[in-house]
């Protein structure tokens, strides 16, 4: 068992395997999980966690694993980050809930002020808070429909936006997200994404051709004047860490501006320093009309936000937005702790550093291992796409096999991709360099 009684950065920053993975205690707990929880709730790696912090997660058998997942891009500031813990502990003893719509409290307002200031663009903004990424995206669509008086929503191939009826409809991939869960919400239309690795005429013309195709489809099949919003991830996350070819996002933004369509950036996975910018939109100078954030915003407490132009968000009638728990005081205090941590620990720069370490190593692997068709990403959001050598034919079986080998060696990695053939890497931004290197070495050895 762990020598420490708390998680956080004080946990020994080491990989330590004391049993096979999963060990006996985790296997016991997993049997209970199978008896109590439906299989619809899947499991990436059946080790049960007792402590986590810095770059490791520690399991019930005392194994310490290197964390290349951050709970799907959530614990960017680290698990049990000290400023988060301190603020939440203070808050939980003061009051746990009032419902912000009933009697407000300062932390909610402070989070909104900070988001209005930090998100791209210096126009006047408003923010409101909800509980999950899906809820943020769903609310962005509500607001966009209200503000424009239009109904259609345009989304992209490989997009992921959540699991509620509307956001599942916005999501591209059938299995496992949509299969047998229809009928879906109306007025959702899907257009091509500039996916350089898979663009038929090659990566060079990808941005221009994909934008032209997408715009033509909108004009011909929907009619620009019927479109309330375009909803897009600046880097497609679950779809496989697809960075749209440079020029694609600006072209779509220009088209939106010219046609009164609101540009909604889903930065649920890319936000809060992850990509080496505070927001991924900054890379090409994209200023969205509405931006949705979640995950990394609150160090693991459930919080999400919708931030947008004041004139858009102010349209909605009094009482038209909300929810019982949105902007819960504990989650708001956690977010304030996250903002401080990002600033004071220089985590934007730290994410760039992680990318500077990882991307050259991954490209080196690609030279030796022909099944790596593509290496991509920015900052601490990187991935490799696995294919049958010399082709673009996806190899999900190999992807699973490499994942399995990494897990057995104590490196937690996640998969992604429309074809299930992408290994993605999302280390906490506070991961020490020696663990980053060790994780990459394990990955290297798993590529055989
Ligand atoms: N938008 C871009 O990445 C969540 C999904 C995990 P919630 N991605 C992880 C799973 O399999 O359910 C996500 C995202 C983007 C929206 C969401 C949805 O965020 O907080 O999971 O609702």
């Amino acid at each position: 068992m762990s020598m420490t009684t708390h998680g956080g950065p004080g946990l020994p920053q080491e990989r330590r395997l004391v049993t096979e993975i999963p060990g006996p205690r985790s296997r016991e707990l997993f049997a209970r999980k199978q008896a109590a929880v439906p299989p619809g709730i899947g499991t990436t790696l059946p080790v049960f966690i007792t402590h986590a912090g810095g770059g490791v997660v520690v399991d019930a058998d005392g194994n310490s694993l290197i964390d290349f997942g951050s709970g799907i891009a959530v614990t960017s500031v680290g698990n049990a980050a000290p400023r988060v813990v301190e603020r939440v502990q203070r808050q939980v003893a003061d009051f746990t809930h009032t419902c912000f719509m009933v009697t407000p409290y300062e932390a909610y307002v402070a989070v909104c002020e900070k988001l209005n200031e930090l998100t791209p663009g210096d126009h006047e903004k408003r923010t409101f808070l909800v509980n999950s990424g899906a809820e943020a995206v769903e609310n962005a669509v509500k607001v966009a429909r209200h503000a424009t008086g239009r109904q259609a929503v345009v989304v992209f191939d490989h997009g992921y936006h959540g699991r509620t009826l509307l956001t599942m409809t916005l999501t591209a991939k059938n299995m496992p997200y949509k299969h047998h869960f229809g009928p879906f919400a109306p007025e959702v239309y899907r257009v091509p994404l500039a996916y350089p690795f898979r663009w038929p005429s090659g990566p060079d013309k990808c941005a221009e051709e994909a934008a032209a195709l997408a715009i033509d489809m909108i004009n011909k099949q929907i009619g620009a004047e019927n479109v309330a919003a375009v909803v897009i991830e600046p880097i497609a996350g679950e779809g496989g860490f697809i960075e749209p070819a440079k020029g694609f996002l600006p072209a779509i933004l220009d088209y939106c501006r010219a046609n009164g369509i609101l540009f909604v950036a889903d930065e649920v996975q890319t936000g809060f320093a992850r990509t080496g910018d505070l927001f991924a939109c900054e890379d090409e100078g994209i200023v969205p009309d509405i931006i949705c954030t979640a995950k990394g915003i609150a160090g693991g407490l459930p919080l999400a936000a919708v931030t947008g132009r004041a004139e858009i968000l102010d349209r909605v009638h009094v009482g038209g937005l909300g929810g019982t728990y949105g902007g819960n005081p504990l989650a708001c205090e956690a977010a304030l702790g996250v903002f401080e941590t990002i600033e004071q620990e220089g985590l934007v720069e730290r994410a760039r550093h992680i990318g500077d370490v990882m991307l050259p190593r991954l490209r080196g692997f690609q030279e030796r291992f022909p099944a790596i068709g593509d290496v991509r990403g920015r900052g601490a959001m990187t991935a490799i796409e696995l294919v049958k050598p010399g082709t673009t034919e996806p190899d999900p079986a190999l992807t699973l096999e490499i994942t399995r080998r990494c897990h057995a060696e104590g490196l937690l990695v996640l998969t992604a991709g429309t074809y299930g053939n992408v290994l993605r890497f999302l280390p906490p931004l506070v991961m020490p360099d020696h663990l980053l290197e060790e994780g990459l070495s394990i990955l290297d050895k798993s590529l055989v």
Side-chain angles (χ1 to χ4, degrees):
M1 293 300 284
S2 165
M3 301 287 286
T4 50
T5 49
H6 297 295
L11 270 185
Q13 293 299 298
E14 61 180 15
R15 180 177 66 114
R16 183 181 68 238
L17 297 186
V18 296
T19 69
E20 72 278 13
I21 301 290
R25 180 73 186 128
S26 279
R27 288 203 300 271
E28 223 175 274
L29 289 166
F30 193 68
R32 277 172 58 193
K33 183 244 180 197
Q34 282 178 305
V37 182
I41 304 289
T43 306
T44 301
L45 172 59
V47 299
F48 279 71
I49 301 306
T50 58
H51 298 82
V56 298
V57 294
V58 176
D59 75 11
D61 292 285
N63 299 296
S64 176
L65 289 78
I66 300 175
D67 181 11
F68 272 16
S70 297
I72 323 189
V74 172
T75 52
S76 300
V77 296
N79 246 297
R83 292 177 188 83
V84 172
V85 171
E86 201 260 320
R87 281 180 168 276
V88 172
Q89 278 177 342
R90 211 175 337 127
Q91 180 61 46
V92 78
D94 286 348
F95 67 94
T96 47
H97 174 82
T98 64
C99 186
F100 187 74
M101 304 181 304
V102 177
T103 48
Y105 39 88
E106 182 176 348
Y108 185 117
V109 180
V111 170
C112 296
E113 287 169 347
K114 204 72 188 160
L115 286 168
N116 293 343
E117 173 199 324
L118 294 174
T119 51
D122 47 20
H123 50 278
E124 194 175 344
K125 295 173 206 151
R126 301 282 186 265
T127 292
F128 64 99
L129 303 177
V130 291
N131 302 294
S132 68
E135 213 185 330
V137 174
E138 182 131 4
N139 273 283
V141 171
K142 280 170 65 172
V143 168
R145 284 179 168 156
H146 197 294
T148 58
R150 304 172 179 183
Q151 294 187 352
V153 179
V154 172
V155 288
F156 293 79
D157 283 338
H158 312 287
Y160 182 92
H161 302 288
R163 292 179 183 264
T164 61
L165 173 61
L166 179 59
T167 59
M168 161 175 74
T169 308
L170 301 179
T171 291
K173 190 175 174 177
N174 175 53
M175 198 59 155
Y177 306 121
K178 306 170 81 160
H179 187 66
H180 288 179
F181 294 142
F184 302 108
E187 291 302 320
V188 173
Y189 301 88
R190 191 171 310 284
V191 299
L193 177 73
Y195 187 168
F197 179 64
R198 295 191 174 277
W199 197 252
S201 60
D204 294 343
K205 290 190 163 176
C206 175
E208 195 188 325
E209 290 180 4
L213 253 173
I215 289 167
D216 190 58
M217 280 175 74
I218 299 171
N219 288 334
K220 294 289 173 339
Q221 298 180 20
I222 319 166
E225 66 280 17
N226 297 318
V227 180
V230 156
V231 180
I232 188 163
E233 298 160 88
I235 298 177
E238 302 303 309
F241 284 22
I242 305 161
E243 197 183 356
K246 299 272 188 229
F248 181 75
L249 293 173
I252 298 296
L253 180 65
D254 286 349
Y255 172 78
C256 287
R257 292 276 191 275
N259 290 282
I261 298 169
L262 300 182
F263 186 102
V264 178
D266 178 347
E267 290 237 24
V268 167
Q269 190 153 166
T270 51
F272 298 103
R274 175 57 52 190
T275 63
D277 287 302
L278 200 49
F279 298 100
C281 277
E282 293 167 34
D283 181 65
E284 287 187 280
I286 300 291
V287 176
D289 298 302
I290 299 176
I291 178 168
C292 300
T293 53
K295 290 189 183 280
I297 193 175
L301 275 84
L303 187 72
V306 180
T307 303
R309 294 183 186 280
E311 67 270 23
I312 295 169
L313 266 71
D314 284 349
R315 292 271 183 91
V316 178
H317 48 276
V318 173
L321 303 168
T324 305
Y325 294 113
N328 169 272
L330 303 179
C332 287
E333 286 293 338
L336 295 173
V338 165
F339 302 153
E340 287 166 9
T341 307
I342 290 175
E343 270 173 43
Q344 290 171 20
E345 296 189 15
L347 293 186
V348 173
E349 295 70 33
R350 185 70 205 156
R352 288 197 184 188
H353 167 77
I354 290 173
D356 290 344
V357 170
M358 293 194 74
L359 284 164
R361 286 290 297 277
L362 298 174
R363 291 194 186 106
F365 300 163
Q366 187 181 22
E367 278 166 26
R368 286 186 286 108
F369 194 67
I372 300 180
D374 197 23
V375 172
R376 56 181 181 247
R378 294 205 300 266
M381 184 172 185
T382 58
I384 56 179
E385 175 159 359
L386 294 151
V387 292
K388 306 280 185 202
T391 74
T392 57
E393 191 191 328
D395 197 340
L398 176 66
T399 310
L400 273 184
E401 178 54 24
I402 296 169
T403 305
R404 199 194 54 73
R405 287 184 203 144
C406 289
H407 289 174
E409 288 301 315
L411 173 67
L412 174 51
V413 292
L414 308 175
T415 59
T418 298
Y419 311 102
N421 67 327
V422 175
L423 269 180
R424 56 170 154 172
F425 312 114
L426 293 161
L429 307 180
V430 295
M431 173 170 288
D433 277 346
H434 74 274
L435 285 182
L436 203 57
E437 294 289 348
E438 194 177 348
L440 284 164
S441 299
I442 294 169
L443 177 64
D444 188 1
K445 289 197 202 89
S446 307
L447 302 171
V448 285

